[in-house]
Amino acid sequence: MMGHTHALTGAVAWLGVAPTLAALPLLTESSRFIETGVMVHALSPAEFIAGTLICAGAAMLPDLDHPSATIAQTFGPITWGLSKAVSWLSGGHRHATHSLLFAIAVGFGAHYLANTYPIGRDVLVVLLIGLALRAIGIGVPGKKVASAMVNIGLTFGLFAVFHNENVGYAWLGVAVAVGCLVHVVGDCCTEQGCPVLWPMRQRWLLPWKIGIKTGRAFEQKFLAPVLSVVVLGLLYFRLVQL
Ligand SMILES: [Zn+2]
């Protein structure tokens, strides 16, 4: 699937799931979850928007195994280098990073960072906002350096706004895991499928074999606009509720 499809489905997933998670008695009343604070701060408008962007960005993470993808150029050589490393470690495109294990591991890693290392957490947050902005097409067409600059400026601007609004990141791990999972499900709808149970090699396709061909008219002319409208609509209704 194309980057923006992944990012948009990540945003839709968070907009759909976050209020439900916050409303679950399990997450608000059980002392265990209050202590770990998974969703404690999830519902201020700024946090809601931050969560949506971060989940959209996390929905791009699995494709960092593909150094020639647009997404690898988000922050110039930094993300390109990261992508090279991820590609080498994971065994190439659509291997380890397109699995359940990766989603869970990265989710726990993000949760750990959020609780323990504020600097590491901030680096991750900036990376994910940058990936989300790049995926939805923010940049200057055909100009790599200018695009990276625009993206860096916007990303840090948003990060500063979230900082001023005292956005808490107790939900970071959940948002990251949801984003990665949505990516895997999305790629399972394409012809190649994903090794969902990696390290087992078997590739999974969704049972009814939709077999979307990446980047064709259906994805560009139908899926992308529909998802964009769903994102804006959900965002509007959720913010009205807050
Ligand atoms: Zn992918």
Side-chain angles (χ1 to χ4, degrees), residues 115-134:
N115 280 340
T116 340
Y117 291 108
I119 295 176
R121 174 202 67 198
D122 289 348
V123 170
L124 181 65
V125 167
V126 164
L127 173 73
L128 293 176
I129 296 174
L131 289 179
L133 293 181
R134 182 69 202 232

Side-chain angles (χ1 to χ4, degrees), residues 98-101 184 188 194-198 200 202-204:
H98 287 66
S99 68
L100 211 55
L101 196 64
V184 173
C188 283
C194 288
V196 177
L197 294 183
W198 185 90
M200 283 160 69
Q202 190 199 349
R203 288 191 169 255
W204 291 54

Side-chain angles (χ1 to χ4, degrees), residues 74-162:
T74 306
F75 292 143
I78 301 170
T79 34
W80 183 81
L82 181 68
S83 178
K84 273 278 184 200
V86 171
S87 164
W88 182 72
L89 283 172
S90 67
H93 189 44
R94 287 208 187 187
H95 285 92
T97 58
H98 287 66
S99 68
L100 211 55
L101 196 64
F102 177 81
I104 294 168
V106 179
F108 271 106
H111 186 67
Y112 178 74
L113 275 185
N115 280 340
T116 340
Y117 291 108
I119 295 176
R121 174 202 67 198
D122 289 348
V123 170
L124 181 65
V125 167
V126 164
L127 173 73
L128 293 176
I129 296 174
L131 289 179
L133 293 181
R134 182 69 202 232
I136 55 176
I138 290 184
V140 186
K143 301 235 157 86
K144 282 187 192 175
V145 179
S147 295
M149 290 299 161
V150 168
N151 194 314
I152 289 169
L154 267 178
T155 300
F156 280 92
L158 279 168
F159 180 73
V161 170
F162 294 151

Side-chain angles (χ1 to χ4, degrees), residues 4-25:
H4 60 248
T5 314
H6 284 306
L8 290 170
T9 47
V12 169
W14 190 250
L15 289 167
V17 149
T20 319
L21 285 181
L24 280 178

